[in-house]
C-alpha cells in the first residue's frame, strides 16, 4: 500500500512569489492535514480538509490556503512568500480525525 | 486554546541507559498519541492511548496515559542508538480546535554509544 506522497521534495522560491505544494493521501483516507515545521520548532497545524471541505485552520494568515480534490488529494498554496515561511511542510492523512496520522516525507520550502 | 507541553526538551543518554519524556495537556484529552521523528525524517505514528490509566508496551517502549487523561509519558528501557530522534506527544482538540492534533514541542533524544 502506498503511503502519503508529497511533491516536490524541495522547493526554492523568491520572496513575494507563490508556492504550491501537493499531497496524495493513503487510499481510503478522506482527511488530509497540513503542518508547518520550522527549523528547531515543533509541528504547527495549518489546515484540515475532509470530503473536499476545509474543516479547520490554524493561526496562519490568509495567504496560506489550499484545497482538496474529489480524489482526496490536496494542495497547499502559499502566496506572497516571506523569508519566515521557510520550513518543512508536512502533509498527513488519517481514517478519522481521532485516529493516528500517517505523514508524508514533506516538502522543504526555502524562501530566498 | 489547548496547549500540550513536553519535558525535557533535550535528553542525552549513554547507550543502555533508560529515557523518559513527559507530556502534559491543558485540557482533558479523549486520547493521546505518540510519534517519533528521526533526524531528517518525518513523524511516524507510534501508538494511541485512549483509556484513563492505560499502559501499553512496544518492546522496550512503555507508554502511559494518566488517570485524569491530561498527562502521558513514554519510557524507553536500555536505549539503543536506533532510538535517536525527536519524540512528540499529540492530543486532539475540541471545540474550535476540533479535528486538529496539537503536538507538544518534542523531546530530542541523543544516544551516545
Amino acid at each position: 500500500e502506498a503511503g502519503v506522497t508529497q511533491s516536490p521534495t524541495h522547493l526554492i522560491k523568491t520572496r513575494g512569489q507563490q508556492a504550491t505544494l501537493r499531497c496524495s493521501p493513503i487510499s481510503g483516507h478522506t482527511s488530509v492535514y497540513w503542518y508547518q515545521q520550522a527549523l528547531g520548532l515543533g509541528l504547527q497545524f495549518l489546515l484540515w480538509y475532509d470530503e473536499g471541505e476545509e474543516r479547520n485552520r490554524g493561526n496562519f494568515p490568509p495567504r496560506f490556503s489550499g484545497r482538496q480534490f474529489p480524489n482526496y488529494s490536496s494542495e497547499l498554496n502559499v502566496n506572497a512568500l516571506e523569508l519566515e515561511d521557510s520550513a518543512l511542510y508536512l502533509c498527513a492523512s488519517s481514517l478519522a480525525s481521532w485516529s493516528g496520522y500517517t505523514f508524508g516525507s514533506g516538502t522543504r520550502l526555502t524562501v530566498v | 486554546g489547548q496547549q500540550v507541553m513536553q519535558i525535557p526538551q533535550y535528553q542525552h543518554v549513554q547507550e543502555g541507559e533508560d529515557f523518559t519524556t513527559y507530556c502534559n495537556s491543558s485540557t482533558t484529552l479523549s486520547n493521546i498519541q505518540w510519534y517519533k521523528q528521526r533526524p531528517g525524517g518525518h513523524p511516524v505514528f507510534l501508538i494511541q492511548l485512549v483509556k484513563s490509566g492505560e499502559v501499553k508496551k512496544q518492546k522496550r517502549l512503555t507508554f502511559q496515559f494518566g488517570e485524569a487523561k491530561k498527562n502521558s509519558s513514554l519510557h524507553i528501557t536500555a536505549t539503543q542508538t536506533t532510538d535517536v530522534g525527536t519524540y512528540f506527544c499529540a492530543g486532539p482538540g475540541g471545540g474550535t480546535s476540533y479535528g486538529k492534533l496539537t503536538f507538544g514541542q518534542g523531546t530530542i533524544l541523543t544516544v551516545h554509544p
Side-chain angles (χ1 to χ4, degrees), chain A residues 49-69:
Chain A
Y49 291 97
D50 184 58
E51 297 287 357
E53 299 285 333
E54 181 182 299
R55 302 295 184 182
N56 207 340
R57 66 178 292 128
N59 295 324
F60 283 84
R63 56 190 187 83
F64 286 84
S65 65
R67 54 180 172 167
Q68 186 177 35
F69 299 98

Side-chain angles (χ1 to χ4, degrees), chain B residues 2 10-11 17 20 47 49 60 78-80 89 107-109:
Chain B
Q2 179 192 39
Y10 302 94
Q11 186 74 61
E17 292 182 337
T20 304
I47 206 162
L49 304 174
R60 295 178 294 104
T79 54
Q80 299 175 358
C89 63
T107 295
I108 300 172
L109 173 64

Side-chain angles (χ1 to χ4, degrees), chain B residues 4 14 16 18 23 29 32 39 53 61-62 64 66 72 74 86 94 100:
Chain B
V4 177
Q14 289 292 131
D18 292 356
C23 178
L29 300 169
I32 189 90
L61 278 62
T62 301
Q64 289 189 310
S72 181
L74 158 60
T86 303
K100 110 185 194 190

Side-chain angles (χ1 to χ4, degrees), chain B residues 27-111:
Chain B
T27 59
T28 302
L29 300 169
S30 59
N31 71 79
I32 189 90
Q33 299 175 23
W34 286 91
Y35 293 78
K36 176 183 178 181
Q37 184 174 21
R38 294 182 185 275
H42 57 276
V44 174
F45 174 74
L46 292 176
I47 206 162
Q48 180 182 52
L49 304 174
V50 178
K51 299 177 183 177
S52 169
E54 188 171 13
V55 178
K56 285 189 175 180
K57 292 189 176 184
Q58 289 180 349
K59 297 183 180 178
R60 295 178 294 104
L61 278 62
T62 301
F63 303 85
Q64 289 189 310
F65 199 10
E67 293 290 341
K69 302 183 77 172
K70 294 183 71 173
N71 63 287
S72 181
S73 65
L74 158 60
H75 180 82
I76 302 178
T77 303
T79 54
Q80 299 175 358
T81 54
T82 53
D83 296 324
V84 164
T86 303
Y87 292 84
F88 294 98
C89 63
T96 57
S97 297
Y98 176 73
K100 110 185 194 190
L101 264 186
T102 298
F103 284 78
Q105 63 268 50
T107 295
I108 300 172
L109 173 64
T110 303
V111 180

